[in-house]
Amino acid sequence: MLMYRRLLAASAVFALLSGAAHAQDVRTAEALRDKALLDRTAWDITEDLTTSIGPRVVGSPAMERAKDWGVAKFKALGFTNIKVEEFAKPSWTRGEESAQLVAPYPMKLDIVGLGRTVPTPPAGIEAEVALFRTYAEMIAAPEGALKGKIAVITQPMVRAQDGSGYGVAGISRRLGPTEAAKRGAVALLIRSVSTSDSTVPHTGVTGFGEGVVTIPAAAIGVPEAEQLERLAKKGPLRIKLKLASTTDPNDVAWNISGDIKGSEKPDEVIVIGGHLDSWDVGTGALDDATGIGITTAAAKLIGDLPKHPKRTIRVVMWGSEESGGSSDAYIAAHKDEVSKIVLAGESDSGADRIYALNLPAGATSHPLATTAANVLAPLKIYVSRQPATHGGADIAGLEQAGVPSFALEQDASRYFDYHHTADDTLNKVDPLQLAQNVAAWTSLIYLVADSDIDFRALKPAAASAAH
């Protein structure tokens, strides 16, 4: 009986201590949240990267300057274990580009070549147009049906808070050149994958198909795509297209990282970050200087605490998201520590307000989810019942290796107005919404970093009965 009483007393003391520790974590998370709303670190980082470095396409001198900038920034902000991890990455460089409607009357078209597109012959390509209102409509054309023609796809993108219209409309950019080439087309123009009504065209990477000779491809602004639709109803169209670009198959890129070392379990790591590279047409403010700023500032605020949380927080500035490669490179360099990476997430949808948190499967029934919901509620963020399915392109390799991921869902309603364009500049960043992002990331990451939660051990909740 005496032993039983002692065990009860010990359990009560442990519960009190645990409760006190939890309460202290909540108070710290709330204090970090409120401090982040007034902190300028993320804005200063975003401003410096877009201004001092500018556009940061892989293989450019600016990207090399960005690498050095990232290392210097980590050092200045007090990060440790700073690493520069080089990996092979062929580069693509844009050259002169032009397009004109030749018939039924001459009209200059504003274009931007799709990332990695092959060039036209130096004299350009002039051909009759085969216009399709949707990607599916072009796919329905049999092989050979577009022989000698310039295919034009005018499929619009749907505006949505969660950005879900991007994947549907983006197939024209990703697979369009390959599929048009299969059907005999000599070039492809697509309506920009955009939610705006601007004449400013949107770039973005395109893919290559096995056994298919790819064709030159570019995007045009929304009003011009709509003009071509109307003209096509009246009769044949002819377009002349010129694209000049070069590639270097032997180039490299870099993933740069820095740590806020954990105080008790430094070998357990939370990986967060954004991508350092950008397209060459703007200054990559929303895509993704703000992601760099948000995650770096969040870790810095936590690192400024008198005592670091238990676990290490690692910020990664991924070096080749736009044309791919940084995810595979990161998992290859860190495959031996995958089991110790407890959580991963990426900020890569601009800087407008976060409205929802998606946690790993099974986590919504854990006390941490309730705590996070309470801390995030003043920021007008709710914890979604849906588990995170994909936290970002640069952590895809970690996810495939079994690392749990989360997503702080940003309002993407206007993101695709500017995404991949010359208009992706600092003046599109709202400082107040940027600060709300930092507050969310800081408080959430602190709660996880100072906890013992094992997301891998959690079991997904059973599907609820239909009502």
Side-chain angles (χ1 to χ4, degrees):
M1 178 62 76
L2 180 61
M3 179 62 70
Y4 179 67
R5 287 175 179 170
R6 285 176 177 171
L7 285 172
L8 281 178
S11 297
V13 169
F14 179 77
L16 285 170
L17 290 173
S18 297
H22 173 73
Q24 180 59 48
D25 273 354
V26 171
R27 287 193 294 270
T28 302
E30 291 172 339
L32 285 168
R33 176 198 66 201
D34 296 344
K35 184 177 181 180
L37 290 172
L38 302 174
D39 187 74
R40 282 187 54 88
T41 305
W43 176 267
D44 291 343
I45 289 171
T46 304
E47 181 183 44
D48 193 27
L49 180 54
T50 56
T51 305
S52 300
I53 307 300
R56 306 169 299 281
V57 69
V58 168
S60 67
M63 192 60 204
E64 187 153 1
R65 294 198 307 272
K67 173 198 66 172
D68 297 337
W69 175 93
V71 171
K73 190 64 65 178
F74 278 140
K75 288 180 179 176
L77 295 177
F79 287 75
T80 59
N81 191 33
I82 298 166
K83 292 183 178 179
V84 176
E85 296 170 340
E86 182 176 294
F87 57 95
K89 179 61 196 179
S91 63
W92 174 88
T93 303
R94 188 185 309 280
E96 291 187 17
E97 300 175 334
S98 66
Q100 296 85 30
L101 179 67
V102 176
Y105 53 75
M107 182 179 77
K108 181 179 180 294
L109 300 174
D110 291 316
I111 65 160
V112 64
L114 300 184
R116 299 198 305 178
T117 183
V118 296
T120 63
I125 294 172
E126 182 179 325
E128 186 174 335
V129 166
L131 188 141
F132 303 95
R133 289 177 176 269
T134 66
Y135 174 79
E137 191 176 283
M138 186 189 77
I139 291 297
E143 291 194 12
L146 308 183
K147 186 175 182 180
K149 295 184 178 181
I150 294 177
V152 176
I153 304 174
T154 59
Q155 180 166 330
M157 177 179 167
V158 175
R159 189 184 298 275
Q161 185 182 36
D162 64 358
S164 55
Y166 181 59
V168 177
I171 194 169
S172 297
R173 190 195 77 208
R174 297 188 302 270
L175 300 180
T178 297
E179 294 300 327
K182 286 180 182 178
R183 289 155 179 79
V186 294
L188 172 71
L189 291 178
I190 65 166
R191 171 177 167 147
S192 287
V193 185
S194 166
T195 47
S196 79
D197 58 3
S198 172
T199 58
V200 177
H202 294 229
T203 189
V205 74
T206 189
F208 301 104
E210 290 185 13
V212 178
V213 177
T214 192
I215 55 177
I220 56 177
V222 171
E224 292 177 340
E226 292 174 343
Q227 178 79 335
L228 293 180
E229 272 190 3
R230 290 189 294 269
L231 285 170
K233 293 178 182 178
K234 298 178 180 293
L237 309 180
R238 289 185 70 82
I239 285 176
K240 183 171 184 179
L241 174 69
K242 282 187 180 182
L243 297 176
S245 60
T246 56
T247 58
D248 182 350
N250 301 312
D251 226 324
V252 297
W254 309 271
N255 289 329
I256 302 104
S257 63
D259 291 357
I260 299 298
K261 188 176 180 180
S263 58
E264 296 180 22
K265 299 179 178 180
D267 60 330
E268 294 187 9
V269 181
I270 299 167
V271 173
I272 61 175
H275 64 86
L276 192 59
D277 64 315
S278 77
W279 286 111
D280 53 321
V281 289
T283 57
L286 295 172
D287 188 21
D288 185 33
T290 52
I292 296 287
I294 289 162
T295 52
T296 304
K300 167 67 165 59
L301 284 164
I302 297 170
D304 286 343
L305 290 170
K307 181 185 177 184
H308 286 182
K310 297 175 183 177
R311 292 163 160 169
T312 293
I313 302 164
R314 176 171 301 152
V315 176
V316 185
M317 299 180 183
W318 283 286
S320 179
E321 189 273 344
E322 296 296 0
S323 55
S326 46
S327 170
D328 290 343
Y330 191 80
I331 190 66
H334 296 269
K335 58 182 182 296
D336 293 338
E337 60 179 294
V338 163
S339 64
K340 289 294 187 178
I341 299 176
V342 297
L343 189 65
E346 181 174 18
S347 176
D348 185 21
S349 295
D352 282 359
R353 58 175 293 274
I354 292 167
Y355 64 91
L357 165 64
N358 296 94
L359 289 166
T364 53
S365 59
H366 191 277
L368 179 85
T370 302
T371 302
N374 291 335
V375 172
L376 295 175
L379 300 175
K380 297 184 178 178
I381 299 170
Y382 67 89
V383 176
S384 173
R385 295 179 181 178
Q386 299 302 315
T389 55
H390 182 46
D394 293 306
I395 62 168
L398 291 175
E399 290 173 328
Q400 290 165 11
V403 174
S405 68
F406 70 99
L408 281 161
E409 298 287 354
Q410 295 159 298
D411 184 350
S413 298
R414 71 182 188 113
Y415 176 64
F416 293 100
D417 289 357
Y418 310 114
H419 174 256
H420 293 179
T421 75
D423 279 339
D424 184 6
T425 48
L426 186 65
N427 66 345
K428 308 307 184 304
V429 180
D430 180 338
L432 293 179
Q433 295 192 71
L434 178 70
Q436 187 256 13
N437 274 253
V438 179
W441 278 82
T442 306
S443 51
L444 174 69
I445 294 303
Y446 172 78
L447 287 171
V448 176
D450 209 46
S451 77
D452 298 311
I453 186 170
D454 179 2
F455 290 105
R456 289 177 172 87
L458 302 179
K459 295 182 178 180
S464 58
H467 295 285

